[in-house]
Amino acid sequence: MEVQTLKYPAIRNHIAGRAADNASADTMDVFSPLTGALISTVPLSGATALDEAVQAAQAAFPSWSATPIKERVQIFYRYKTLLERDMKALADLVREENGKTYDEARAEVEKAIELTEFACSMPQLIQGEFLEVSKGVEARVERKPLGVVASIAPFNFPNMVPHWTIPNALVLGNTMILKPSEQVPLSAVKIAELLKEAGLPDGVLNIVNGDRTIVEAICDHPDITAVSFVGSTKIAKVVYIRATSNLKRCVALGGAKNHLMVLPDAHPDMTASNVAASMSGCAGQRCMAGSTMIGVGAVDHIVNKLVAEAQKIVPGQNLGSVISREAKERIEQHITEAEAAGAKVLLDGRGAVVPGHEDGYYVGPTVIDYVTPDMRIAQEEVFGPVLAIMRTNTLDEALAIENANPYGNAAAVFTQSGSHARYVMDHANAGMIGVNIGVPVPREPFSFGGWNESKFGACDITGKSSIEFWTQLKKTTTKWNPESRVNWMS
Ligand code: NAD
């Protein structure tokens, strides 16, 4: 039998600072979506591997949480320089396992660096409170870590999304189990290696790979105190319900359907390039992708420019692949259905093939006009480089469509009118709003998180809001004046 050599060694879990022995686990093949080639395998771990990881994280917790935060951040300062040193290798890895263009993969690592920088500012942000609350009686409030926490990641940002949680949670004194997406498990291995090189003590970060089984085990594990999840709404709901029913703290970010409202007075060139970039960046596989545009009134001049912009986006050049063959088929099916339902395909990305990479999973940029709100493409997350354009006569009609969608990650308006922009800021039903910005990600120190079915649980996942999620308050009252009277507040 022919033995196939994989480009990357079989992925192993990372437990207590070492690559674990996965010999007993089933494995799944990992393909590069750029070429369709088999590049590695990933273990589908079970409860035993999780138990080992939790034990390692528990063992590391007392010493890690007792380390002063100013010392903990020193490791992350060093780690940041290692991310910078290995930028190219990290970006190449993202590109290979996820299918992004090199520039997109690099931007993802740059964002990981920004997230790490934010975590390094934690000592400036989390100092507690102190007050003499009555004569000689003092109250103080400190932020304390939760213990062993878990972070479950999706496929679309193999490097950045783990950095949404790892630096903040660890700098704040927690120890962690990371569960990467089984579709993109390579970046996490490198993250663990670099953190070890930066001096992170063994057991503070552990990685357990797998699919549904391991996620369910995380939600059920009695020694995991908090679970963060990023992925589709369907699974976010399952994870939120299961983790919280086991009395864990949970924040679960889900899918999205983001509406870009374009008014006739919008700057035509800027709007066209922003909308095209929003729908096609990372092949449309961003929870912040503007997948739906609502043209309000006479915007044909902008739609024409937008199509011209989208035509400059070429698969295999400035457009990466989608994650899998199934994703390609699902996206193309959406386009076909919309066309059959009466929408007009202005630019058709179906059947895209990249010469030399015929087995890669590519969908070309697609623009579909005259979509109506009842069509499936207007309602479901497509997660591909596809823009569905709906038309309304008024901004209120556009907002009614935006408000009615069950998600609430992002919404944006393109206009040169301050009052129209303000109206959308006030009335859009989403957690992140853009004015003349197609991907309104609130950069650090602001926090990232949507509303409605795009996020379940209190707190956002990044920025200052994440401090609430990853810590609990300890309130201590002290009295040093034995002569003071005892009263109801003593
Ligand atoms: P997914 O929900 O399929 O998978 C996410 C994680 O859940 C993975 O680690 C996976 O192993 C696990 N999982 C899958 N099926 C499961 C099941 N039945 N039970 C328990 N766990 C299961 O999501 P994906 O396809 O990897 O990522 C794309 C989705 O993530 C999109 O919907 C996108 O909008 C969303 N996303 C949201 C945000 C956000 O900030 N709101 C950010 C990135 C991605």
Side-chain angles (χ1 to χ4, degrees):
M1 198 174 95
E2 192 186 334
V3 177
Q4 209 171 357
T5 316
L6 299 175
K7 181 164 181 187
Y8 298 94
I11 302 288
R12 294 163 70 182
N13 292 335
H14 178 84
I15 297 177
R18 282 177 297 282
D21 175 13
N22 310 321
S24 59
D26 289 339
T27 59
M28 195 183 104
D29 290 339
V30 179
F31 298 94
S32 172
L34 293 173
T35 58
L38 176 66
I39 53 171
S40 188
T41 62
V42 62
L44 300 178
S45 315
T48 312
L50 181 64
D51 263 340
E52 283 171 28
V54 171
Q55 279 168 28
Q58 276 185 313
F61 181 72
S63 156
W64 180 244
S65 57
T67 304
I69 189 166
K70 279 177 175 276
E71 285 179 34
R72 291 197 296 253
V73 294
Q74 295 311 317
I75 293 167
F76 284 84
Y77 279 117
R78 284 198 290 279
Y79 176 62
K80 173 187 179 273
T81 65
L82 300 181
L83 289 174
E84 285 161 347
R85 183 195 71 189
D86 288 1
M87 169 71 81
K88 177 153 186 337
L90 289 160
D92 282 340
L93 215 46
V94 168
R95 174 165 162 67
E96 178 112 42
E97 63 178 336
N98 173 277
K100 290 180 193 202
T101 66
Y102 178 77
D103 287 351
E104 289 168 346
R106 194 182 158 95
E108 178 171 343
V109 182
E110 282 167 359
K111 183 67 198 175
I113 290 171
E114 182 173 77
L115 290 153
T116 305
E117 285 169 355
F118 174 75
C120 289
S121 72
M122 235 20 128
Q124 278 62 254
L125 295 174
I126 67 139
Q127 71 270 39
E129 297 166 10
F130 175 90
L131 186 71
E132 184 180 43
V133 288
S134 56
K135 191 68 193 159
V137 178
E138 293 160 346
R140 57 190 249 163
V141 180
E142 296 163 273
R143 289 203 172 272
K144 295 291 185 187
L146 304 175
V148 179
V149 300
S151 172
I152 302 164
F155 79 80
N156 63 332
F157 284 94
N159 191 301
M160 180 190 77
V161 168
H163 284 92
W164 277 1
T165 56
I166 295 171
N168 290 348
L170 268 48
V171 161
L172 289 166
N174 301 286
T175 57
M176 180 180 272
I177 314 295
L178 172 70
K179 206 300 276 179
S181 164
E182 65 276 31
Q183 291 177 287
V184 292
L186 299 173
S187 291
V189 175
K190 183 83 176 146
I191 291 169
E193 284 170 7
L194 292 184
L195 277 167
K196 191 173 167 80
E197 186 181 343
L200 191 74
D202 293 347
V204 174
L205 175 70
N206 306 277
I207 300 175
V208 180
N209 290 281
D211 55 9
R212 173 185 184 157
T213 305
I214 198 73
V215 171
E216 290 176 352
I218 287 171
C219 293
D220 294 346
H221 201 290
D223 298 320
I224 293 177
T225 58
V227 176
S228 76
F229 172 90
V230 183
S232 61
T233 290
K234 183 175 160 214
I235 311 301
K237 278 184 192 171
V238 170
V239 167
Y240 185 79
I241 289 169
R242 192 153 176 159
T244 55
S245 74
N246 283 312
L247 306 179
K248 296 182 197 316
R249 195 177 279 201
C250 183
V251 63
L253 275 65
K257 193 81 189 163
N258 307 315
H259 294 74
L260 310 177
M261 288 163 261
V262 175
L263 275 57
D265 73 343
H267 189 288
D269 293 331
M270 185 191 73
T271 303
S273 57
N274 268 271
V275 174
S278 177
M279 73 93 162
S280 66
C282 300
Q285 300 175 121
R286 287 188 289 195
C287 64
M288 294 296 278
S291 56
T292 312
M293 172 182 143
I294 308 179
V296 182
V299 295
D300 281 351
H301 62 297
I302 299 176
V303 171
N304 292 340
K305 277 184 182 286
L306 165 63
V307 172
E309 277 297 319
Q311 277 167 335
K312 297 180 200 160
I313 300 166
V314 181
Q317 293 177 23
N318 53 355
L319 179 66
S321 63
V322 296
I323 189 66
S324 63
R325 191 176 307 285
E326 297 73 45
K328 176 177 160 74
E329 286 167 7
R330 189 198 66 242
I331 296 160
E332 294 189 342
Q333 178 62 26
H334 267 292
I335 303 167
T336 302
E337 258 186 49
E339 189 174 38
K344 189 173 172 195
V345 180
L346 302 181
L347 184 63
D348 191 349
R350 283 172 289 187
V353 174
V354 172
H357 289 164
E358 286 77 7
D359 292 331
Y361 317 132
Y362 295 90
V363 179
T366 301
V367 180
I368 311 176
D369 206 351
Y370 300 106
V371 168
T372 52
D374 56 313
M375 292 180 190
R376 196 165 74 93
I377 201 165
Q379 295 171 358
E380 292 181 14
E381 185 176 38
V382 178
F383 230 49
V386 178
L387 182 71
I389 304 179
M390 290 184 270
R391 304 285 192 138
T392 65
N393 292 318
T394 67
L395 186 52
D396 280 326
E397 286 167 357
L399 279 163
I401 293 172
E402 191 283 329
N403 283 192
N405 98 85
Y407 299 102
N409 225 33
V413 61
F414 288 83
T415 179
Q416 297 188 60
S417 152
S419 62
H420 284 135
R422 179 78 229 181
Y423 195 70
V424 171
M425 287 161 65
D426 287 344
H427 293 96
N429 187 12
M432 293 172 279
I433 309 295
V435 174
N436 297 320
I437 304 249
V439 186
V441 172
R443 292 181 60 173
E444 313 330 285
F446 302 106
S447 64
F448 186 101
W451 287 2
N452 310 324
E453 300 223 330
S454 291
K455 192 192 74 181
F456 305 101
C459 302
D460 285 341
I461 200 161
T462 66
K464 289 186 193 169
S465 180
S466 74
I467 298 170
E468 290 296 331
F469 186 75
W470 295 121
T471 60
Q472 53 194 339
L473 296 177
K474 178 171 268 186
K475 289 77 57 177
T476 308
T477 306
T478 58
K479 187 165 97 169
W480 299 107
N481 53 343
E483 70 286 359
S484 77
R485 278 190 309 115
V486 173
N487 62 23
W488 67 272
M489 283 189 297
S490 319

